[in-house]
Amino acid sequence: MTLEKCKSGEKIRVKDIKEKNLNARLLSLGLCKGDDCTIENIANGNVLLKTLETKIVISDNLAEKIEIEVLK
């Protein structure tokens, strides 16, 4: 499942990041494979993620490239 198909309030785990360049950029923001986070909001073509340390806004284009697993 990709990040763009989630709903607000869901807890997710990042399984894979398909693009190597995107992986490095997200790592510099504090998000990497295996991290658990919560989807705060999805609006206006952006996804707001809350991790332990920070909140990150990701566009829909980049959200297509992030494979996730929904946690219960």
Side-chain angles (χ1 to χ4, degrees):
M1 177 177 210
T2 58
L3 184 59
E4 67 176 354
K5 296 178 183 175
C6 290
K7 300 174 187 166
S8 296
E10 287 186 325
K11 292 186 183 257
I12 61 166
R13 176 171 292 138
V14 178
K15 285 176 62 176
D16 190 28
I17 300 171
K18 297 178 185 176
E19 193 173 304
K20 189 175 186 179
N21 190 20
L22 177 59
N23 193 9
R25 288 192 297 172
L26 289 175
L27 184 58
S28 71
L29 294 173
L31 183 69
C32 63
K33 294 180 196 173
D35 281 353
D36 295 342
C37 47
T38 305
I39 297 179
E40 290 271 310
N41 194 6
I42 299 175
N44 299 328
N46 294 314
V47 178
L48 176 63
L49 294 176
K50 180 182 176 191
T51 65
L52 277 175
E53 294 108 15
T54 188
K55 291 184 179 181
I56 301 170
V57 177
I58 299 174
S59 70
D60 276 345
N61 290 340
L62 297 178
E64 294 174 357
K65 300 173 183 172
I66 301 173
E67 292 285 328
I68 55 117
E69 170 186 356
V70 178
L71 304 175
K72 302 234 175 177

